[in-house]
Amino acid sequence: AAAEADAKAREAEARSAAAAAEADANAAKAKEDEAKAKEAEAIEQEAPFKAAQEELEGALAEVKRQEDEYQGKIKDCETRSEQGGVVQRNKAKAELAQLKAEDPLPLSRAKITLEAARKRAEKTRAPFEAATKVAQEARQAATEAAQAAADSAAQAAQAAEAAAQATAAASRAREAADEARAESERDKEAAAAAVEDARRRVKEAEEYLEEIKNQPGCANGALWWIDRELHDAKAYVPESKGGYRKK
């Protein structure tokens, strides 16, 4: 009974801890959901500024590519104008003159304009980008906390289940002990009844033997033998019930 009571107390404690852990896990999950919502909101607010910046960066990259291509052609023509035969050098010089005759100003202006626009877009996006980063970090921390709380809740639930099984085992052991005690009591009662029945039968036999002894013409030898059998039978009857202790 004491073991069962202790097991029940441990089970109650484990279930209480499991309930608290589950509540913590639910609270952590709610915080994670809130952090995810704020992260999504921050990303949505940043999105147009990010798209504008990326579009400008793409346009600027294209201008730089065209500029690099132009400078590369000039360098190639300069190299070829100093190598090879006269015809080849003259051809390269003509191509070089044609390239230098092109107005590079629109490309340079586009580059300057796009660079300025990119910087403005980057500056405009900066607070939203920072807010997104903070929201993402908060969401990551909330996710980790929620996972840790969920793991703790699972462990607490397992501990509660183990405690419940221990309680069930203790209850079965107590029931088995109760049944054993009851069986022992039944055996004692049956033994007592058997002893009482034996004592009664011995008494009846003694009374019958005395009756026969008092009758004329009885066989004393046979009576002695019966008397001996009765005497031996009393050895199995408790002294308190008329029996005697064997020597």
Side-chain angles (χ1 to χ4, degrees):
E4 182 181 14
D6 183 64
K8 286 183 177 181
R10 291 179 182 276
E11 179 186 2
E13 182 180 354
R15 290 192 179 280
S16 176
E22 184 178 3
D24 291 342
N26 291 335
K29 185 63 172 63
K31 289 183 178 180
E32 181 188 16
D33 292 340
E34 182 181 357
K36 285 182 177 180
K38 290 183 178 180
E39 179 187 20
E41 182 181 359
I43 291 174
E44 183 180 2
Q45 291 178 350
E46 181 195 1
F49 303 101
K50 180 181 179 181
Q53 182 181 350
E54 290 176 349
E55 184 178 357
L56 288 170
E57 287 176 346
L60 184 59
E62 175 60 22
V63 169
K64 287 182 177 180
R65 186 194 66 78
Q66 293 179 16
E67 184 181 35
D68 292 342
E69 182 181 7
Y70 175 74
Q71 295 297 331
K73 288 180 179 180
I74 289 179
K75 185 176 181 180
D76 178 64
C77 288
E78 288 175 344
T79 301
R80 287 188 293 109
S81 67
E82 298 175 358
Q83 298 175 353
V86 176
V87 176
Q88 292 177 337
R89 290 199 303 271
N90 290 335
K91 182 180 179 181
K93 289 178 181 179
E95 291 177 4
L96 180 60
Q98 185 178 357
L99 286 171
K100 289 184 175 182
E102 293 178 4
D103 185 7
L105 188 59
L107 197 61
S108 298
R109 285 179 176 174
K111 180 181 177 182
I112 293 172
T113 301
L114 287 173
E115 184 65 35
R118 185 191 65 79
K119 289 181 179 180
R120 287 196 300 272
E122 182 178 357
K123 184 177 180 180
T124 303
R125 178 192 172 188
F128 296 95
E129 185 178 16
T132 297
K133 183 179 180 181
V134 170
Q136 288 174 334
E137 291 175 350
R139 191 269 309 156
Q140 179 64 30
T143 298
E144 292 174 357
Q147 184 59 54
D151 292 343
S152 296
Q155 292 175 359
Q158 291 176 353
E161 179 60 26
Q165 292 177 0
T167 298
S171 296
R172 289 192 297 269
R174 190 263 306 160
E175 291 171 358
D178 290 345
E179 178 60 26
R181 282 193 295 271
E183 183 66 22
S184 177
E185 289 298 323
R186 289 193 293 269
D187 290 344
K188 286 171 62 177
E189 292 175 359
V195 168
E196 181 62 27
D197 183 64
R199 187 194 65 78
R200 179 180 58 79
R201 289 179 182 275
V202 169
K203 183 179 180 182
E204 290 176 353
E206 287 177 337
E207 291 174 352
Y208 179 70
L209 180 60
E210 288 297 323
E211 182 180 346
I212 292 177
K213 283 181 179 180
N214 295 327
Q215 293 179 0
C218 63
N220 291 327
L223 292 176
W224 179 89
W225 182 257
I226 294 173
D227 188 56
R228 180 66 183 180
E229 289 292 326
L230 289 174
H231 178 77
D232 291 343
K234 286 184 178 181
Y236 299 97
V237 178
E239 292 183 59
S240 61
K241 301 294 185 178
Y244 67 91
R245 184 180 303 174
K246 287 183 178 182
K247 295 183 179 179

